[in-house]
Amino acid sequence: MRLLDLGLDPVNFSDALLWVLAQRLMRIFCKSCKEAYRPSAQELEHLINSYGRDIFPEPGVDAATVQLYRPVGCDECGGTGYKGRTGIHELLVGTHELRSLIYNKADLDTLRTQASRDGMRTLKQDGINKIFMGLSDYKQLLRVVAE
């Protein structure tokens, strides 16, 4: 809650908070040349752990049959393997519980935990979901979201 670090009054902020949206653009694969592959166990484990093992069932991905994609490159995409962008998003909703924590000056970890309980998914989680949808890869996600 960087706004609180800048000296914003927690009482006024908690009363006014409706939601906060963060968004970034991530490159997507060229539809003409992307190539399907079966991820290694290590790669799949990394994606699951990065998403959050305890909430990983949310995207509905079957780890036994999952297929990812990689860029190839063709004339249509200029040899890059990517063509276009998609948005990744993070929406923090000002629930009663979250506003109460802000009002009482809770620490950042407590606020993050409550936001997750309230259904917030991070930019990284949304990006990983789009990787499982076959839109992009982890390399592109890391270009726009810090590890």
Side-chain angles (χ1 to χ4, degrees):
M1 301 299 282
R2 191 159 192 288
L3 293 172
L4 298 176
D5 292 340
L6 296 173
L8 190 64
D9 178 36
V11 174
N12 291 332
F13 181 68
S14 67
D15 287 342
L17 178 65
L18 297 176
W19 52 265
V20 178
L21 176 68
Q23 57 186 356
R24 302 282 185 281
L25 290 175
M26 181 170 73
R27 293 170 68 188
I28 59 174
F29 294 125
C30 172
K31 293 177 184 169
S32 299
C33 68
K34 70 180 183 178
E35 176 182 73
Y37 73 98
R38 175 86 174 111
S40 68
Q42 181 181 3
E43 182 180 10
L44 188 56
E45 281 298 306
H46 180 72
L47 287 170
I48 291 170
N49 289 332
S50 294
Y51 189 91
R53 184 166 290 286
D54 53 331
I55 58 172
F56 181 72
E58 284 178 355
V61 174
D62 180 3
T65 61
V66 69
Q67 156 174 295
L68 299 180
Y69 293 85
R70 61 180 145 230
V72 175
C74 66
D75 290 338
E76 196 168 317
C77 62
T80 66
Y82 301 96
K83 188 169 184 178
R85 297 182 187 273
T86 190
I88 56 173
H89 306 89
E90 174 178 300
L91 179 64
L92 172 73
V93 177
T95 62
H96 174 73
E97 294 81 6
L98 187 67
R99 289 193 318 263
S100 178
L101 288 171
I102 293 169
Y103 182 88
N104 291 307
K105 301 179 182 178
D107 62 84
L108 188 56
D109 286 336
T110 303
L111 293 172
R112 281 188 182 133
T113 300
Q114 183 61 48
S116 181
R117 275 192 213 121
D118 292 340
M120 184 189 89
R121 295 300 164 250
T122 65
L123 289 168
K124 191 171 195 176
Q125 288 169 326
D126 190 37
I128 290 171
N129 192 37
K130 290 187 172 147
I131 290 168
F132 284 120
M133 292 169 61
L135 297 175
S136 194
D137 57 15
Y138 198 67
K139 178 181 171 186
Q140 294 306 310
L141 178 60
L142 291 181
R143 288 175 56 131
V144 295
V145 176
E147 180 74 35

